[in-house]
Amino acid sequence: MDLGLPLINSKKLVSVEKLALAAIAIAILLRIVNLGSREFWYDEVLSLLLSNGNKGGYSTPRDLPVLLADYTSLLKLPLESNLSDLISTIKKLILNLLNGEPHPPIFFLSQHLWLRLFGNGEAAMRSLNVLFSIAAIFSSYSLGKVLLNHRSGLLLAAFIAVNPFYLFHSLNVRMYAPLVLWTSLSAVALIHIINHQPTEPSTKNLQHRLFLDILFITAVAAGLLTFYLYAYWVITLAILVIYLDRKHWWQHGLRLATAVMVTIPWFLWGGIRQLRNADLNRFTAQQGIITAFFNHLQDFFYTLGTNILVGDWVTRLPVISVAAFGVLVVVFMLICSLHLWHKNEQQNLFTSVILGISPLLLSLAVDIITKKNTLGFGWGRTTIIILPGCLLLFVVWLERAVSQQKRTIIAASLLILYLGIGISDFSLRQRTVFHQIANVVTQENNHSTLIAMNSKAWGHVMRLAYYIPPQLPVMLLAESPNKLADSLANVLNDEKNQYQRVIWLDSADPVWSRLKTAAEIQTAQQNIQQVLSPKFNLQQTQNLRGTMDIDDFTLKLYTHSHNQ
C-alpha cells in the first residue's frame, strides 16, 4: 500500500490542469521578457510609420545622398500644440491608409493611441499586442470551457499561449495578434448563445443575453475592421449556426448582419478605395491546371504547417519542408477525428473542424476560383484565425478520446514541443542586424559617414533611421543594385562631398529591385568595388544574417586613404 502512495501523489502533481497553468504562466513570461529583446523587422517599421501618421511624408531615396536623420523624424509623432494639430495627425493617418495600405484602420488607430501613451520604443509598441494575446488566452479558456469543461478550457488556453506561431505574432507589431482574440471571443459568445437559450424572460436572463449579443457583435465588427480576410471567419460562424442551431438561424443571422452593418460605413468610404489601390496582381501566377492544383495543395499544407507547428521558423525553411510538416499535421488531425468519430463525439468533432478548417477551405476555394495564390502569402499569417478551431480539435480529442493517463503524457509532450519551438526561435535566431550596423557606425562617431546601400526598400531605409543615432553625421545613398555604382561614383567624384568613411551595405534581397541572375549580382558588386578602391581602403567585412533574406547584408567598412 505504501508503494502506491507516491504514484498517486505524482499523478496529482502532474495533472493536465497544472501542466496547462504552468504552460500559460511560462508563455506570458516569455512575452514579457521578449518585449524588447529583438529589433523591429521589416513590416513593423511600416506599422510605426503608419501609426504615427507620417507615412505620407516618406519619400523614396533618389540618386543623391540624404541626411539619415531626416527619416528618423518620421518615426516620431509630429509636433502638435493644440487639438487641431492632433486631429490633423489622425486625418493623415486615415488618408495614408486609404492611399497605400490594404488593411482596415482599427489596428493602426489603437497603435496610434498606444504610441501617444508610451512612445515608439520596441517594448512599448509591442506591449499592446501582448495584452491582446493575453486576452486571447483567457478567451480561449472560455471557448474550451463552454464547449467541454474547465480542464479543456485550461488546455486550449495553454495551447494558444505556447503555439509558436501565435507566440511570435503576439510580439509582432502587426494586426494578427488581435485577430485571434476577436475570433475566439465571437466563437465563445455564439456558442454561449446557442447553448443557453433562455427558458424564462427574466431580467437576469435578458441582461445576460444582451451582454452576449454585444460581445458577439463587437468581436465580429472589430475583426472585420482589423483584417478584411476576417470575412472568412464571418462565413464560418454562419456555417456553425446552420450546424448547431438551424432552428434559430434568423436570430443569429440578425446578429451577424448587425455586426457587418457596423462596418459598412468604413467599407463604403475607405474599403472600396483601398481595394482600388491594392496590388492584387502580385497574387496571380501564370500556370497550367496541373501546376495550379499542386500549388494550391502545397499552399494548404504549408499554411497548416506554419500555423500549427513550425511558427516563425517558416521564414528560413524551404516551402516543401513546411508543407511536409503540414502533411504531418493533417495526418494527426485525421487520427484525432477518427478517434472522436468512434467515440460518438460527432458534434464536438464537427464544431472543431468547422471553426478550424472552414476558413482555410474558404480561402483555398477563393484562390482556385480567382486563379490566385493568397493562401500561403505572408508565411500563412493571413489565416491565423484557424488557430483556435484547430487547437480545439486536439483538446476535444484529448478530453473525449484519450484515457486519463495517456492524456497527461500527450498534453505534456505537445506543450513541451510548442515551448521548445518557440523558445528556440527567440534564443537561437539573430534579430539584431541593424543594431550591429549601428555599432559599426558609432565606432568613429565624429567621422562623416556615407552609407551606400543597394536597396531603396522603405523597410531597410527606415530601420537604419530608427537604430542609428540621429545626431551622427550620417548620409544615406540608397539606390537599386544595378545603379548604385554609378550613383556612388558621381557622389564621390564631387569635391563638395568629402566622406571619411563609406559603409557599403550589400543587401541579399533588395525587395523592389532584385537582380535576376548571380552573374548580374556579381557584376554589380565588382562595379561598386572598383568605385571605392581608388580612394578608400577596406577596413572591415561583416556578414549579417537575420531571420529572413530581407534581413541579410554584407557590411563593408571603408576608410578614406588620407585618413591612414
Side-chain angles (χ1 to χ4, degrees):
M1 294 293 293
D2 292 338
L3 294 175
L5 287 176
L7 180 61
I8 295 173
N9 290 335
S10 64
K11 287 182 179 179
K12 292 182 179 178
L13 185 64
V14 292
S15 65
V16 171
E17 292 91 333
K18 291 179 180 178
L19 285 171
L21 286 171
I24 292 169
I26 293 171
I28 293 175
L29 181 62
L30 284 173
R31 285 163 167 79
I32 295 172
V33 168
N34 286 290
L35 272 172
S37 66
R38 59 194 180 92
E39 64 189 22
F40 286 135
W41 78 283
Y42 196 93
D43 281 358
E44 285 182 298
V45 171
L46 175 61
S47 293
L48 175 56
L49 196 60
L50 282 164
S51 298
N52 60 29
N54 285 330
K55 188 173 184 292
Y58 177 85
S59 58
T60 302
R62 301 183 182 277
D63 57 356
L64 293 174
V66 294
L67 184 64
L68 189 59
D70 289 344
Y71 284 104
T72 306
S73 62
L74 296 176
L75 294 168
K76 302 176 182 179
L77 284 169
L79 294 176
E80 299 167 342
S81 58
N82 51 48
L83 181 60
S84 177
D85 291 341
L86 187 151
I87 294 173
S88 176
T89 299
I90 296 176
K91 283 183 178 179
K92 290 178 182 177
L93 190 162
I94 298 295
L95 289 174
N96 290 337
L97 291 178
L98 293 176
N99 294 325
E101 179 65 18
H103 300 299
I106 194 170
F107 168 77
F108 299 102
L109 289 172
S110 62
Q111 282 290 347
H112 178 81
L113 173 62
W114 211 250
L115 182 65
R116 288 186 175 279
L117 294 174
F118 301 106
N120 69 346
E122 295 155 338
M125 291 291 293
R126 292 190 176 116
S127 59
L128 179 59
N129 267 2
V130 166
L131 292 178
F132 277 128
S133 72
I134 293 174
I137 293 169
F138 285 101
S139 177
S140 298
Y141 163 77
S142 297
L143 177 58
K145 183 180 179 182
V146 71
L147 196 65
L148 296 170
N149 51 41
H150 167 70
R151 178 173 59 213
S152 299
L154 285 177
L155 194 52
L156 180 59
F159 282 153
I160 288 287
V162 300
N163 173 268
F165 199 56
Y166 194 50
L167 177 60
F168 169 78
H169 282 291
S170 300
L171 290 158
N172 182 19
V173 189
R174 296 297 284 168
M175 65 289 304
Y176 306 105
L179 283 177
V180 177
L181 173 61
W182 307 136
T183 297
S184 55
L185 272 181
S186 58
V188 168
L190 180 60
I191 294 175
H192 259 298
I193 292 170
I194 292 173
N195 289 349
H196 301 90
Q197 297 290 343
T199 55
E200 298 179 3
S202 64
T203 302
K204 183 177 180 180
N205 286 337
L206 290 175
Q207 289 176 343
H208 182 63
R209 175 54 63 88
L210 180 61
F211 169 76
L212 291 174
D213 287 344
I214 294 174
L215 181 64
F216 178 77
I217 292 169
T218 301
V220 173
L224 287 170
L225 290 174
T226 299
F227 198 62
Y228 288 124
L229 294 184
Y230 188 84
Y232 293 142
W233 181 252
V234 176
I235 299 173
T236 296
L237 293 174
I239 295 171
L240 187 65
V241 164
I242 294 172
Y243 175 67
L244 290 180
D245 195 18
R246 194 176 308 167
K247 180 180 178 181
H248 301 95
W249 68 269
W250 69 270
Q251 292 101 319
H252 301 305
L254 185 60
R255 294 183 185 94
L256 277 172
T258 302
V260 173
M261 289 296 293
V262 171
T263 68
I264 289 298
W266 167 259
F267 287 131
L268 292 179
W269 181 68
I272 294 176
R273 185 169 172 179
Q274 285 182 310
L275 182 62
R276 290 171 181 167
N277 293 329
D279 180 17
L280 300 179
N281 291 327
R282 58 178 170 164
F283 302 115
T284 303
Q286 299 295 330
Q287 50 195 3
I289 296 176
I290 296 177
T291 303
F293 170 79
F294 282 106
N295 283 342
H296 289 311
L297 192 64
Q298 178 179 270
D299 285 348
F300 179 83
F301 290 122
Y302 177 87
T303 302
L304 276 173
T306 302
N307 279 267
I308 307 303
L309 188 58
V310 175
D312 193 51
W313 283 100
V314 67
T315 58
R316 280 297 186 188
L317 293 175
V319 173
I320 192 66
S321 298
V322 180
F325 282 118
V327 172
L328 294 178
V329 170
V330 170
V331 170
F332 185 51
M333 295 176 76
L334 288 174
I335 292 172
C336 295
S337 301
L338 289 173
H339 283 183
L340 289 169
W341 184 273
H342 289 307
K343 292 288 185 178
N344 293 320
E345 288 288 336
Q346 284 86 353
Q347 179 168 313
N348 288 328
L349 167 62
F350 287 133
T351 298
S352 303
V353 170
I354 288 171
L355 294 177
I357 302 300
S358 292
L360 201 58
L361 293 178
L362 287 167
S363 181
L364 179 62
V366 170
D367 273 5
I368 293 172
I369 294 170
T370 59
K371 298 181 180 180
K372 297 185 183 299
N373 293 99
T374 65
L375 185 54
F377 181 75
W379 303 293
R381 60 191 177 181
T382 57
T383 50
I384 199 171
I385 55 177
I386 70 174
L387 276 180
C390 289
L391 297 179
L392 180 62
L393 174 62
F394 303 153
V395 171
V396 172
W397 172 66
L398 286 169
E399 181 64 31
R400 298 300 197 207
V402 177
S403 64
Q404 181 178 354
Q405 185 177 5
K406 291 182 178 179
R407 182 190 304 136
T408 304
I409 296 172
I410 295 173
S413 300
L414 291 175
L415 291 172
I416 291 172
L417 174 64
Y418 268 7
L419 282 170
I421 295 172
I423 291 173
S424 64
D425 177 28
F426 282 102
S427 60
L428 299 180
R429 307 180 77 193
Q430 179 62 258
R431 289 184 167 95
T432 59
V433 169
F434 285 83
H435 278 98
Q436 294 179 69
I437 296 172
N439 289 338
V440 174
V441 173
T442 55
Q443 286 174 4
E444 299 288 346
N445 54 24
N446 60 334
H447 286 187
S448 59
T449 302
L450 174 67
I451 295 178
M453 181 170 63
N454 65 332
S455 170
K456 288 177 171 285
W458 49 257
H460 292 152
V461 172
M462 294 311 297
R463 282 190 289 175
L464 286 174
Y466 185 89
Y467 288 104
I468 293 176
Q471 66 271 18
L472 299 184
V474 178
M475 301 295 287
L476 172 66
L477 176 64
E479 185 58 276
S480 55
N482 59 342
K483 297 179 180 179
L484 180 58
D486 291 338
S487 297
L488 183 60
N490 291 334
V491 170
L492 297 181
N493 289 332
D494 189 342
E495 295 181 357
K496 297 179 181 178
N497 299 317
Q498 297 295 324
Y499 296 103
Q500 296 167 293
R501 298 187 304 170
V502 174
I503 295 176
W504 172 20
L505 285 181
D506 189 28
S507 172
D509 186 358
V511 185
W512 297 343
S513 51
R514 300 180 179 98
L515 297 178
K516 296 181 180 180
T517 66
E520 289 179 326
I521 295 173
Q522 185 177 10
T523 299
Q525 292 171 342
Q526 290 174 346
N527 291 339
I528 296 171
Q529 179 69 45
Q530 291 172 1
V531 170
L532 289 169
S533 56
K535 296 182 179 180
F536 293 84
N537 297 323
L538 178 62
Q539 297 295 320
Q540 179 181 343
T541 299
Q542 188 172 352
N543 292 319
L544 306 174
R545 182 175 172 86
T547 59
M548 58 192 77
D549 290 344
I550 57 175
D551 286 339
D552 292 350
F553 290 88
T554 298
L555 181 153
K556 293 187 177 183
L557 171 63
Y558 289 82
T559 57
H560 201 287
S561 56
H562 292 168
N563 295 338
Q564 302 302 308

